């Protein structure tokens, strides 16, 4: 299924909505909306588990047609999906939105240079840099890293081999450019930004960019470069699923907290409703045909 969606600055993008099984061995259908790759066919791309650039938690990303996209999760209290002639009981919606791969690769390149003190660190080849223990899927990003990481790295060529080393001054120049561009765009996206002073809009832009940066060293260095007083940001909880059972774990954790609170206050807690076991989807046509017969 395809849908036309207006995104960003009035640009219309073709979106593809597909139902797919995300992990092998997990028999669950979920709805994902992502930008159409434009290459034809029904290939949905690859789901890669990479480290989140701020929290370092394993996070799922969509890699499709050379574009890296982060996955956002939305869930209403009640909802289902009509998929062809069937109903999917889980009404969750996953959206894949493009993310600058430099943000995702920045911590990996920072760690790979093995910088100590004032020593700028070592030059290394891409396949060495992207060898991350426990995360083999970084190797899928070799060609992407080759295209995008020169903007924040120094490079050296020895024969046919190319070596990379992250450069702090280039990183800060790139981050400053990102913040300035975002600051300029925010008033057009939300009238509330247009009503506030420029300094506060700049702080908000840094805060948004900071969701992809570690506090040490990049966020502090960015505040300092822009002449702003550093404020330790509160880590925001992202709607990104890192494992197939992340939603279930969150519900169990919430229930256990409620039980503890009830024990402390002495109040009887409401019994948690057990999730209904799905025994099979019903055909929509059959449902409507039965309804028509009853009316007749």
């Amino acid at each position: 299924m395809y849908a036309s969606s207006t995104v960003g600055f009035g640009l219309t993008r073709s979106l593809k909505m597909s139902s797919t099984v995300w992990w092998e061995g997990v028999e669950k259908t979920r709805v994902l909306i992502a930008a159409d790759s434009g290459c034809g066919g029904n290939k949905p791309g690859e789901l890669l588990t990479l480290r989140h650039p701020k929290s370092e938690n394993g996070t799922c990303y969509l890699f499709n047609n050379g574009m890296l996209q982060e996955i956002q999760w939305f869930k209403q209290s009640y909802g289902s999906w009509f998929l062809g002639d069937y109903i999917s009981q889980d009404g969750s919606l996953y959206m894949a939105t493009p993310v600058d791969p430099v943000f995702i690769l920045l911590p990996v390149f920072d760690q790979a240079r093995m910088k100590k003190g004032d020593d700028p660190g070592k030059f290394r080849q891409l396949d060495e840099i992207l060898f991350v223990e426990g995360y083999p899927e970084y190797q899928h990003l070799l060609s992407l890293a080759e295209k995008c990481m020169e903007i924040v790295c120094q490079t050296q060529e020895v024969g046919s081999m190319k070596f990379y080393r992250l450069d702090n001054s280039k990183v800060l120049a790139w981050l400053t450019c990102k913040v300035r561009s975002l600051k300029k765009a925010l008033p057009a996206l939300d009238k509330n930004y247009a009503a506030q002073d420029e300094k506060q809009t700049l702080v908000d832009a840094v805060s948004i960019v900071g969701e992809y940066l570690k506090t040490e060293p990049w966020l502090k260095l960015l505040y300092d470069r822009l002449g702003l007083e550093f404020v330790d940001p509160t880590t925001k909880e992202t709607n990104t699923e890192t494992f197939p059972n992340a939603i279930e774990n969150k519900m169990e954790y919430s229930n256990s907290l409620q039980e503890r609170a009830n024990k402390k206050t002495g109040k009887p807690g409401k019994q948690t409703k057990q999730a209904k076991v799905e025994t099979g989807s019903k055909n929509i046509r059959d449902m409507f045909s039965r309804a028509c017969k009853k009316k007749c």
Side-chain angles (χ1 to χ4, degrees):
M1 290 181 284
Y2 289 86
S4 179
S5 174
T6 302
V7 248
F9 306 92
L11 299 175
T12 301
R13 175 178 300 175
S14 175
L15 297 179
K16 181 176 181 180
M17 182 164 69
S18 62
S19 59
T20 179
V21 176
W22 284 31
W23 282 271
E24 288 186 26
V26 180
E27 297 180 358
K28 289 186 179 180
T29 299
R30 298 178 183 178
V31 176
L32 169 68
I33 296 180
D36 184 12
S37 63
C39 57
N42 295 317
K43 187 178 180 181
E46 298 173 288
L47 289 167
L48 309 180
T49 301
L50 309 172
R51 291 191 312 204
H52 190 276
K54 189 175 185 72
S55 67
E56 294 191 340
N57 292 330
T59 306
C60 190
Y61 294 87
L62 175 65
F63 186 54
N64 189 17
N65 198 30
M67 181 194 303
L68 189 63
Q69 302 174 64
E70 60 182 340
I71 298 175
Q72 308 292 337
W73 172 65
F74 302 91
K75 172 76 173 176
Q76 292 183 330
S77 300
Y78 303 96
S80 299
W81 282 105
F82 289 80
L83 304 172
D85 291 337
Y86 299 94
I87 299 175
S88 173
Q89 187 175 0
D90 183 1
S92 300
L93 173 63
Y94 295 83
M95 292 190 68
T97 55
V99 61
D100 194 321
V102 177
F103 282 115
I104 309 303
L105 295 173
L106 185 60
V108 178
F109 274 68
D110 189 18
Q111 186 177 3
R113 63 179 170 170
M114 296 183 284
K115 185 179 182 300
K116 295 181 180 179
D118 296 331
D119 178 17
K122 300 180 179 180
F123 283 90
R124 302 180 70 181
Q125 290 181 279
L126 279 180
D127 58 346
E128 290 182 304
I129 295 173
L130 295 181
F131 180 79
V132 182
E133 188 176 353
Y135 294 90
E137 291 169 341
Y138 274 101
Q139 295 294 318
H140 291 266
L141 305 180
L142 273 169
S143 59
L144 186 62
E146 188 175 4
K147 294 177 183 177
C148 70
M149 290 306 290
E150 281 195 37
I151 196 170
V152 291
C153 289
Q154 295 177 350
T155 60
Q156 287 184 354
E157 293 187 32
V158 180
S160 61
M161 296 183 295
K162 197 169 188 177
F163 298 83
Y164 295 77
R165 183 177 68 188
L166 198 67
D167 182 272
N168 282 18
S169 61
K170 285 190 172 186
V171 173
L172 287 173
W174 176 78
L175 287 174
T176 301
C177 182
K178 285 287 184 184
V179 170
R180 298 289 185 192
S181 298
L182 184 57
K183 174 180 174 287
K184 186 178 180 181
L186 284 176
L189 296 174
D190 191 331
K191 62 182 180 181
N192 292 325
Y193 288 110
Q196 69 183 16
D197 61 83
E198 287 196 10
K199 184 177 180 180
Q200 184 56 49
T201 304
L202 179 62
V203 171
D204 290 340
V206 175
S207 178
I208 294 171
V209 171
E211 293 182 10
Y212 298 89
L213 298 173
K214 290 185 178 180
T215 302
E216 292 283 357
W218 306 118
L219 196 53
K220 284 188 175 181
L221 289 174
L222 182 59
Y223 269 94
D224 185 59
R225 185 183 180 92
L226 295 171
L228 299 173
E229 182 181 353
F230 175 72
V231 179
D232 192 13
T234 303
T235 303
K236 295 183 179 180
E237 188 176 329
T238 57
N239 289 332
T240 309
E241 183 173 297
T242 55
F243 298 102
N245 61 347
I247 302 171
E248 290 84 353
N249 288 343
K250 186 175 179 182
M251 292 174 63
E252 290 174 4
Y253 178 69
S254 176
N255 291 336
S256 65
L257 287 180
Q258 184 62 46
E259 289 175 4
R260 291 178 188 176
N262 290 333
K263 286 180 180 179
K264 288 183 179 180
T265 57
K267 296 180 181 179
K270 292 183 179 180
Q271 187 176 358
T272 305
K273 291 183 179 180
Q274 298 294 325
K276 293 182 179 179
V277 179
E278 188 174 354
T279 56
S281 302
K282 295 182 179 179
N283 192 306
I284 292 176
R285 290 174 184 166
D286 293 340
M287 294 166 63
F288 281 107
S289 63
R290 285 198 298 270
C292 291
K293 289 178 182 178
K294 287 182 180 179
K295 288 183 179 180
C296 295

